[in-house]
Amino acid sequence: MAEVILMPRLSDTMTEGVIAEWHKKVGDPVKKGDLLAEIETDKATMELESYQDGTILHLGAGKGDKLQVNDLLAIVGKAGEDVSALVARHNGGGATPAAEKPAEQKPVEQKTAEQPAPAAAQPAPAQAAPAIDVSKMEEVVLMPRLSDTMTEGVIAGWNKNIGDDVKKGEVLAEIETDKATMELESYKDGKLLYQGAKVGEKIQVNDLLCIIGKEGFDVNSVVNALKGGGSAAPAATAEQKAAAAPAADTKQPAPQAEQQVVNEGRILASPLAKKIAQDKGVDLKYVKGTGDNGRIIKSDVDGYVPAAQPQPAQQQAAPVAKPATQPQAPAGVVSFDEVPVSQMRKTIAKRLSESLFTAPHFYLTMAIDMDACVAARAKLNEVSKVKISFNDLVLKATASALKQHPKVNSSWLGEKIRINHHVNIGVAVAVEEGLLVPVVRFADTKSLSQIAVEVKEFAQKAKDKKLQPADWEGSTFTISNLGMFGIDQFTAIINPPDACILAVGGISQVPVVKNGQIVPGNVMKVTLSCDHRVVDGATGSAFLQTLKSLLEEPLRILI
């Protein structure tokens, strides 16, 4: 019997998804685990696998189309089976199924429904240009939403100049979002005919980013249709051609021709294969896939034996060139520098202002005797393959304490409070442009060495601007540690929607009283910032007491 596949909810805030790519068409056989489609959600583009064997009998939308969560996505069953009743039921009875249209009609590159509808039903004024429905033009590339809070992107660098040939999977540009600088890949072959902005300029989400097509394509008509018909479009194209060349030279990644690259461009791999590769540190471009269409599966990663690979040159290069010394201002002369606010800094300002002025904060501070932790860490590092830091110990103890105090591990959602049973701890990482908070997922189930490796990897990825949306989403609690900067005590602003954040100071040697004697001791102060809408003073205090007891007897966190 035919089975209906509905659009799944692939993220906690997803209400609709865009078909980024179909990997099967009507009539194709499909097996359980085969890749059906790539779905663009509000946070990322994710792969959707089949959960059964059969034949694709119906596709509910074409490439580039949007579907609401629980709308008809596809039907899988036996070849020749009549599914008209199922299609009619899910399309409201009489609607023509979107899948009857060839998928090739709708390959809009960045998949958006915000384009103006064509005004073909009404006669256009004589002086107006004919309406153009750019949603049907596969040449048009719009600025994608590369993070859940992104409203605009800055062109950090073009990797292709106007007139260059572009292949599917090649990096077109580097886009600075509010959280990271991300690479944007091409979804088609052709020539780069137009760039919507120069290096350093901003483009709003869903505005024209570039045009990729064949020589002779009418670029001006598309630019005019999207930008209101301004006459500056042709001139801007000429200026961009001159400005893009030096920018592309400075941003071009170092070649790795010596490596035996098996996969170029967009790499097809199952989610499990990607996870295993990430855990093992395997670069999938060197792994040969044995699945459908060369897709990399679990066994390919398990059987891969890496060769010695030189470090890419760009990893050794400093991300931003700085002057060696600051210019000296003449005495008695007013002097200053003004720098534009980065996308990251704008978002930090917006989110933390909203948090501080919306959530009623209160603060609880506690001093913790760290003598046992100092001794335990020294012994652990004698046998551990990775260096365990005090931050790792605090994170592990915090995760254990959160399991005992789930109200602290909660989120304010307006009309309801979500009490999380899983423990995902965000770790604040300072970078040059501001602050990022990658998430250690299921921290209560991980060992100290696993936490140490993961935190170090996140810190390096944050500094290299390589963090992806999946790395910073989904925290239930946050830790901010400034102890390594010599800070004894501070308060932190809650990272919404978390209900609390723990500010960790440094370990100081101070005189303490033990057994009636004044002796030197190692003391660390922590401050818990609480959202009073969710956490009361007694609840926060009980959590800190548990955390204190775990750190003062660190063997308990290893149980």
Side-chain angles (χ1 to χ4, degrees):
M1 181 178 178
E3 292 288 336
V4 170
I5 300 175
L6 304 180
M7 174 63 79
R9 188 183 302 276
L10 298 171
S11 78
D12 53 343
T13 57
M14 176 181 171
T15 59
E16 63 185 12
V18 176
I19 307 298
E21 190 72 55
W22 281 109
H23 290 266
K24 298 289 183 181
K25 60 182 183 294
V26 174
D28 283 355
V30 62
K31 294 180 180 179
K32 183 178 180 180
D34 281 356
L35 182 60
L36 283 180
E38 295 176 41
I39 309 295
E40 181 186 353
T41 73
D42 57 333
K43 292 182 176 178
T45 299
M46 306 179 71
E47 296 180 343
L48 179 68
E49 296 182 349
S50 175
Y51 288 93
Q52 68 173 48
D53 299 340
T55 301
I56 301 292
L57 304 176
H58 176 84
L59 300 180
K63 179 181 175 181
D65 283 355
K66 282 186 179 180
L67 287 177
Q68 299 296 309
V69 170
N70 293 327
D71 277 358
L72 177 62
L73 180 65
I75 299 177
V76 177
K78 295 181 180 179
E81 193 172 349
D82 184 8
V83 295
S84 56
L86 289 174
V87 174
R89 184 192 311 165
H90 286 276
N91 285 339
T96 302
E100 300 303 320
K101 305 173 187 177
E104 289 79 60
Q105 291 184 12
K106 312 180 183 66
V108 179
E109 193 115 338
Q110 301 304 333
K111 291 93 48 187
T112 179
E114 280 75 19
Q115 302 303 324
Q122 299 180 3
Q127 69 273 19
I132 297 177
D133 185 3
V134 295
S135 67
K136 296 291 191 293
M137 292 185 176
E138 64 178 58
E139 292 84 2
V140 172
V141 182
L142 305 178
M143 173 62 79
R145 189 184 302 276
L146 297 172
S147 80
D148 53 333
T149 55
M150 176 181 172
T151 58
E152 62 185 12
V154 175
I155 306 297
W158 283 105
N159 288 56
K160 295 290 182 180
N161 299 327
I162 294 175
D164 284 355
D165 291 325
V166 178
K167 293 182 179 180
K168 181 178 179 181
E170 288 187 333
V171 177
L172 279 176
E174 296 174 23
I175 309 295
E176 180 190 351
T177 73
D178 54 333
K179 293 181 176 177
T181 299
M182 306 178 72
E183 293 180 342
L184 179 67
E185 296 180 356
S186 174
Y187 285 87
K188 70 184 301 287
D189 299 336
K191 281 188 178 295
L192 183 59
L193 304 175
Y194 178 83
Q195 295 172 340
K198 300 175 183 177
V199 173
E201 292 183 347
K202 299 175 185 175
I203 301 182
Q204 298 294 314
V205 169
N206 294 327
D207 278 0
L208 179 61
L209 177 64
C210 65
I211 296 175
I212 299 173
K214 296 179 180 179
E215 290 185 7
F217 179 79
D218 189 358
V219 171
N220 292 340
S221 62
V222 175
V223 174
N224 291 338
L226 284 171
K227 295 193 174 182
S231 59
T237 303
E239 293 169 6
Q240 288 159 348
K241 185 178 292 188
D249 290 342
T250 59
K251 289 287 178 180
Q252 198 75 347
Q256 298 184 4
E258 294 78 6
Q259 306 299 313
Q260 294 190 357
V261 176
V262 182
N263 306 301
E264 295 187 359
R266 188 174 185 82
I267 298 174
L268 295 179
S270 70
L272 180 57
K274 289 181 178 179
K275 179 66 172 63
I276 295 172
Q278 182 180 6
D279 293 343
K280 291 185 173 183
V282 174
D283 191 336
L284 290 177
K285 71 170 71 174
Y286 305 111
V287 180
K288 182 173 179 60
T290 59
D292 292 344
N293 301 316
R295 187 166 181 248
I296 300 170
I297 57 178
K298 176 180 179 293
S299 59
D300 299 327
V301 181
D302 289 338
Y304 172 70
V305 179
Q309 299 174 10
Q311 287 291 324
Q314 69 263 30
Q315 290 186 4
Q316 282 106 34
V320 178
K322 288 184 177 180
T325 57
Q326 294 293 334
Q328 296 294 321
V333 176
V334 175
S335 177
F336 54 83
D337 290 326
E338 291 183 349
V339 296
V341 179
S342 68
Q343 298 299 102
M344 183 184 296
R345 180 56 62 185
K346 282 183 182 178
T347 302
I348 290 172
K350 179 175 180 292
R351 282 175 57 84
L352 294 187
S353 295
E354 288 174 353
S355 174
L356 186 61
F357 300 126
T358 302
H361 285 53
F362 73 93
Y363 309 97
L364 301 170
T365 300
M366 182 172 282
I368 299 174
D369 181 351
M370 294 292 286
D371 283 350
C373 252
V374 171
R377 175 176 176 262
K379 291 182 180 179
L380 286 169
N381 281 330
E382 289 177 2
V383 295
S384 176
K385 293 182 179 179
V386 295
K387 185 177 181 181
I388 307 296
S389 69
F390 287 112
N391 191 66
D392 301 328
L393 289 163
V394 171
L395 195 152
K396 178 63 177 177
T398 299
S400 299
L402 288 172
K403 293 296 288 186
Q404 301 180 45
H405 301 275
K407 287 186 178 180
V408 178
N409 192 43
S410 300
S411 305
W412 174 262
L413 302 179
E415 296 299 320
K416 54 189 175 183
I417 295 172
R418 175 178 294 167
I419 300 176
N420 299 295
H421 302 298
H422 60 286
V423 177
N424 289 351
I425 297 184
V427 182
V429 177
V431 294
E432 188 172 343
E433 295 83 359
L435 195 69
L436 292 172
V437 189
V439 178
V440 178
R441 303 180 189 281
F442 310 108
D444 57 308
T445 67
K446 294 181 176 177
S447 67
L448 279 169
S449 56
Q450 287 175 313
I451 290 172
V453 169
E454 198 164 330
V455 170
K456 286 179 177 65
E457 288 177 350
F458 277 144
Q460 189 59 50
K461 287 171 70 175
K463 289 177 172 60
D464 294 340
K465 297 184 178 181
K466 298 299 183 182
L467 285 176
Q468 297 300 305
D471 295 331
W472 62 66
E473 294 168 355
S475 68
T476 61
F477 188 91
T478 305
I479 294 175
S480 179
N481 189 343
L482 293 178
M484 66 285 294
F485 298 105
I487 301 300
D488 293 325
Q489 179 183 340
F490 69 104
T491 58
I493 300 174
I494 295 168
N495 178 34
D498 299 354
C500 298
I501 184 171
L502 185 71
V504 181
I507 299 175
S508 302
Q509 279 206 329
V510 296
V512 297
V513 178
K514 289 187 178 181
N515 301 321
Q517 301 291 323
I518 298 177
V519 295
N522 295 286
V523 174
M524 179 181 74
K525 290 184 178 179
V526 296
T527 300
L528 184 69
S529 304
C530 303
D531 184 343
H532 219 325
R533 298 172 298 182
V534 183
V535 176
D536 296 325
T539 305
S541 299
F543 165 78
L544 285 181
Q545 287 176 340
T546 301
L547 177 63
K548 175 183 173 72
S549 67
L550 289 170
L551 287 173
E552 291 184 344
E553 297 182 56
L555 286 179
R556 294 172 56 194
I557 68 177
L558 303 177
I559 300 175

